[in-house]
Amino acid sequence: MKKFFISGVVLFLFLGGCKEKETYHVKEVTFPEGATPEQKIDMAAHVVPTEGQYRWQQLELTAFLHFGINTFTEREWGDGTEDPVWFNPVDLDCEQWVRALQAGGFKMVILTAKHHDGFCLWPTKTTKHSVASSGWKDGKGDVVRELREACDKYGMKFGVYLSPWDRNASCYGDSPAYNRMFMEQLRELLGNYGRVDEVWFDGANAEGPNGKLQIYDWKAFNAVIDSLQPQAVKAIMGNDIRWVGNERGLGRETEWSVTPYAADSYENAQEENERLGLKPTAKDLGSREKVVEANRVFWYPSEVDVSIRPGWFYHAEQDARVKSLAHLVDIYFQSVGYNSVLLLNVPPDKRGLLSESDVTRLKEFGDYISATFADNRLQGGEVERKLKVGEMVEYALKPGEVVNVFMVGEDIRKGQRVEEFVVEGWLDGDWKELARGTTVGYKRLVRFEECSPEKIRFIYKRGRAGMNLSYAGAYRAERLDVQREENTVIRNEKKGWKVLGVDSEIPAHPAVAAIDCNPATYWQSDSSDGLHYLEVDMGKEYKLSGFTYQPVAENDFAGTVYLYRFYVSRDGKKWSLCEGNGEFSNIKNNPISQTIRFKNNYPARYFRFEVVREIEHRPFVTVGEIGVLYAFD
Ligand code: FUL
């Protein structure tokens, strides 16, 4: 006999007037043994979000606040040795953060209560490494409390980021001991600060001081959340919300909220994900092929996290590199408009305020989005409809209206189904294709050339079951000039620079390309096991205070350097080490230009950049550009 096993809660619903009974699977379903491909696809089409996941999806715009000891050291990842006294945001004003984010249209804020450096923004009992030991408010301050109160005052939802990776905790690596400490931190945060709507766990992990890799107990962490804040969604290493796979604000055009990709807390998650070739960065996480090969599927929707600046933490030198309005709007279309939720980071500065440039940009963004979507030009677009595959729905437009955006949504409380659709406009007495797309999900936006059709029709081309169309809209989005500020490279004057030595180079990418002031060209070493290095003669002596590394801006970022050593020399023979354990923090997820500042200045005419490890342990390395910072006499 075939065994039918359906995990999760199963709902039976009678659809208005029709006798057909539909069975829905909340959050997950395991396919019965021997299920046919058609049965699997049909079951996948009936997986629906939990109430919490649905509430979260409706927020559309959520904000990250990266704030902590790194704000004061200007680093992206602290190593845990920082002195807590350095934390002193004398003008801290969480109400200013919340007001600015609200003006941008954001509905929830998520604070980095603890980042990888282990410094806690609340006076925890679990470690001395917290605001209680800081110079701020004589150790009596509590950022989490102040933000909570500001959120309550303005009606903003509140979430916490608690980094499992802790480079300060001495018990990190002693897995049971650290897991206990981490759960205690969770209990403090989730038990003492009122309602929390999202808990964000990053996946970064390493060995502790004992040399052992920390093994996290995700199930136990989840149980703490479920007992204290059952309504909160658990993101990234949690099993409610999935990381979209990059930190550039790019969703997938084909984005399935129903996927066989399993969060780590599920049985056999790693084995199954490997068997199916699934990981957060994979292009395809939910096609028919993947579903048919799988034994189970989950409602595991994606979240697009990206910073308004190149880095996650505030760095004054990035003040002029706040993303343009055009770029933020593109990100909106590629996240919210691709069936995802946007999590935009806006980092408070050393004063404890969002900087003026970011506040202005947030307001521009909020105004642009609300003006664009204020007036739906389709008549009857808000009426819900049921469409069978092959059916279409036609809408009249208000006469003479110019449009360039089409919006469509599925009622995801009845599953995600659409695999292909076409949008056509009635122009000059004929139907012309305006746009086409694959998945829809909660919300799909498609852009096309400006036009004034008399009517628009939506054609449901291909799908997994009947479509529950929840709304359709046509709008005009004002065109904006597209710039990509954060790709600006710090260009040094490199006149007279020469390559002094290099371990290897491939003909298409010679070493000299790393110092030609052109980030589009790059040096690539060969794939030998030996040490890869580049030595440069700068032609004259400088007082070197740091250096810059621009990774290669290509899609897979292969060859990007993670760990390095940096040496200088006055004669090109005797070398002194300035940075022995250098780390380009977070470069794998966020491959932006890196600026490293030394603790001292070094008189030098030559430098040597030695690669200790590539981001994925690949045997070759690439360098888009390497430059130096120097002090004037
Ligand atoms: C990453 C972290 O390592 C970054 O520092 C940042 O917090 C980002 C949101 O997640 O993986």
Side-chain angles (χ1 to χ4, degrees):
M1 209 183 73
K2 283 182 186 146
K3 224 170 68 193
F4 273 74
F5 169 60
I6 295 171
S7 53
V9 187
V10 177
L11 296 179
F12 296 95
L13 292 183
F14 288 94
L15 299 176
C18 97
K19 292 203 183 59
E20 195 192 330
K21 190 166 73 173
E22 299 220 26
T23 305
Y24 293 101
H25 316 284
V26 179
K27 195 167 176 183
E28 57 180 289
V29 64
T30 298
F31 299 134
E33 231 174 77
T36 63
E38 294 71 31
Q39 282 169 331
K40 287 186 177 185
I41 295 298
D42 186 65
M43 288 175 89
H46 287 80
V47 176
V48 296
T50 62
E51 276 178 33
Q53 287 175 317
Y54 185 58
R55 240 192 335 265
W56 168 85
Q57 190 88 49
Q58 290 172 294
L59 298 177
E60 299 190 3
L61 294 176
T62 61
F64 238 161
L65 292 156
H66 273 67
F67 187 52
I69 204 81
N70 292 339
T71 313
F72 295 85
T73 55
E74 303 244 353
R75 293 183 70 172
E76 279 289 292
W77 283 357
D79 59 15
T81 59
E82 297 81 9
D83 188 339
V85 166
W86 299 339
F87 182 84
N88 195 7
V90 281
D91 296 320
L92 183 102
D93 181 359
C94 295
E95 291 194 12
Q96 184 247 11
W97 306 355
V98 173
R99 279 195 306 271
L101 290 165
Q102 220 158 34
F106 293 84
K107 304 289 190 307
M108 170 157 67
V109 295
I110 301 179
L111 174 70
T112 51
K114 176 183 89 166
H115 204 253
H116 309 329
D117 49 72
F119 180 78
C120 297
L121 292 181
W122 79 102
T124 173
K125 293 200 177 78
T126 61
T127 169
K128 290 206 162 58
H129 205 54
S130 84
V131 281
S133 314
S134 75
W136 180 56
K137 295 192 172 176
D138 295 327
K140 306 261 169 354
D142 182 343
V143 183
V144 178
R145 172 90 47 219
E146 292 201 20
L147 180 59
R148 158 87 273 167
E149 286 168 1
C151 286
D152 286 346
K153 178 162 172 187
Y154 291 99
M156 177 73 98
K157 286 190 185 295
F158 174 74
V160 290
Y161 169 116
L162 186 68
S163 169
W165 187 23
D166 188 322
R167 300 174 105 178
N168 175 266
S170 54
C171 61
Y172 189 82
D174 172 350
S175 296
Y178 177 73
N179 287 341
R180 275 195 301 277
M181 170 176 165
F182 186 75
M183 285 194 282
E184 201 38 47
Q185 296 187 333
L186 259 185
R187 279 188 209 102
E188 289 180 356
L189 278 176
L190 303 184
N192 301 330
Y193 294 92
R195 180 178 165 123
V196 174
D197 277 286
E198 183 165 342
V199 180
W200 218 92
F201 290 152
D202 186 85
N205 185 345
E207 291 95 26
N210 63 0
K212 290 199 185 142
L213 191 73
Q214 172 70 31
I215 313 288
Y216 302 121
D217 189 347
W218 300 117
K219 276 197 190 140
F221 302 168
N222 288 349
V224 175
I225 303 172
D226 290 341
S227 68
L228 293 171
Q229 300 279 349
Q231 75 293 329
V233 286
K234 306 183 244 348
I236 314 311
M237 296 315 288
N239 59 11
D240 293 313
I241 310 297
R242 168 172 52 87
W243 179 47
V244 74
N246 65 75
E247 296 184 353
R248 281 171 292 149
L250 277 181
R252 292 175 184 77
E253 263 187 84
T254 302
E255 182 59 79
W256 286 102
S257 296
V258 180
T259 168
Y261 175 67
D264 260 24
S265 55
Y266 289 105
E267 294 300 324
N268 307 326
Q270 282 189 3
E271 295 85 323
E272 274 298 276
N273 290 341
E274 261 169 46
R275 180 177 75 82
L276 299 167
L278 301 175
K279 53 182 181 180
T281 50
K283 201 165 167 233
D284 172 13
L285 286 175
S287 66
R288 278 182 179 242
E289 293 70 33
K290 294 287 177 205
V291 172
V292 165
E293 273 179 65
N295 301 321
R296 57 187 175 182
V297 286
F298 306 91
W299 187 273
Y300 198 23
S302 93
E303 177 177 75
V304 173
D305 62 325
V306 59
S307 184
I308 196 165
R309 291 155 168 263
W312 287 100
F313 284 88
Y314 177 83
H315 308 285
E317 71 184 20
Q318 297 178 354
D319 276 351
R321 299 166 74 197
V322 176
K323 287 186 171 57
S324 67
L325 176 60
H327 193 177
L328 285 185
V329 167
D330 270 354
I331 288 176
Y332 177 85
F333 274 91
Q334 289 163 0
S335 54
V336 177
Y338 279 176
N339 186 34
S340 289
V341 167
L342 174 60
L343 177 58
L344 180 73
N345 178 61
V346 192
D349 62 16
K350 287 185 179 150
R351 297 169 302 171
L353 296 172
L354 297 188
S355 87
E356 289 67 18
S357 43
D358 305 42
V359 171
T360 308
R361 195 52 44 77
L362 284 171
K363 173 91 173 75
E364 288 169 2
F365 175 73
D367 289 349
Y368 181 93
I369 297 297
S370 49
T372 302
F373 296 104
D375 180 19
N376 185 357
R377 274 57 158 209
L378 293 189
Q379 293 179 12
E382 62 295 333
V383 179
E384 291 180 20
R385 292 163 200 266
K386 290 191 179 303
L387 297 180
K388 293 204 184 96
V389 175
E391 286 184 342
M392 62 180 85
V393 48
E394 199 175 299
Y395 302 94
L397 248 80
K398 296 177 186 160
E401 290 284 2
V402 176
V403 292
N404 58 7
V405 174
F406 184 80
M407 180 196 288
V408 59
E410 288 182 76
D411 181 355
I412 55 170
R413 289 166 302 176
K414 295 180 184 144
Q416 185 186 352
R417 290 152 181 211
V418 179
E419 290 176 318
E420 190 185 347
F421 66 90
V422 174
V423 181
E424 293 181 345
W426 183 258
L427 287 160
D428 307 323
D430 206 1
W431 286 109
K432 298 223 169 70
E433 181 172 315
L434 300 180
R436 59 170 57 229
T438 53
T439 48
V440 172
Y442 174 74
K443 182 177 270 193
R444 180 65 202 264
L445 297 169
V446 280
R447 293 191 271 192
F448 48 87
E449 284 304 310
E450 276 192 356
C451 57
S452 293
E454 270 169 52
K455 43 193 183 175
I456 283 186
R457 66 184 186 187
F458 171 85
I459 310 169
Y460 180 21
K461 284 282 216 200
R462 224 158 39 84
R464 297 179 174 181
M467 173 186 185
N468 298 292
L469 189 152
S470 59
Y471 56 84
Y475 306 90
R476 179 172 178 273
E478 198 187 314
R479 293 252 177 244
L480 296 161
D481 175 31
V482 229
Q483 287 166 13
R484 290 277 187 272
E485 313 64 22
E486 77 279 15
N487 287 343
T488 319
V489 180
I490 303 169
R491 291 189 184 215
N492 292 289
E493 265 294 308
K494 292 177 186 166
K495 251 195 272 142
W497 284 33
K498 280 201 290 289
V499 172
L500 180 71
V502 64
D503 68 281
S504 62
E505 55 193 351
I506 63 170
H509 301 293
V512 67
I515 53 168
D516 64 356
C517 288
N518 179 2
T521 61
Y522 59 92
W523 163 50
Q524 181 170 331
S525 73
D526 68 10
S527 293
S528 59
D529 282 342
L531 185 72
H532 298 304
Y533 67 88
L534 175 67
E535 287 170 358
V536 174
D537 173 0
M538 298 181 286
K540 62 177 187 187
E541 193 163 291
Y542 294 90
K543 269 194 194 155
L544 288 199
S545 55
F547 77 100
T548 61
Y549 166 63
Q550 169 74 45
V552 177
E554 281 190 348
N555 271 342
D556 63 357
F557 301 105
T560 299
V561 179
Y562 171 42
L563 302 177
Y564 64 86
R565 285 190 283 263
F566 199 90
Y567 299 82
V568 291
S569 165
R570 299 183 86 164
D571 58 9
K573 293 185 189 103
K574 240 176 70 210
W575 297 91
S576 14
L577 185 65
C578 331
E579 286 264 329
N581 291 312
E583 167 191 276
F584 294 131
S585 307
N586 202 31
I587 198 165
K588 185 171 162 195
N589 292 325
N590 193 18
I592 55 172
S593 175
Q594 309 285 313
T595 302
I596 303 298
R597 290 201 166 74
F598 305 143
K599 291 198 181 77
N600 306 306
N601 292 341
Y602 297 89
R605 170 172 165 175
Y606 307 87
F607 69 80
R608 175 181 164 101
F609 178 62
E610 229 173 65
V611 180
V612 176
R613 195 200 291 173
E614 193 266 0
I615 44 169
E616 299 272 15
H617 297 271
R618 290 184 186 90
F620 67 93
V621 300
T622 53
V623 174
E625 255 333 273
I626 193 146
V628 295
L629 309 176
Y630 56 88
F632 294 101
D633 286 325

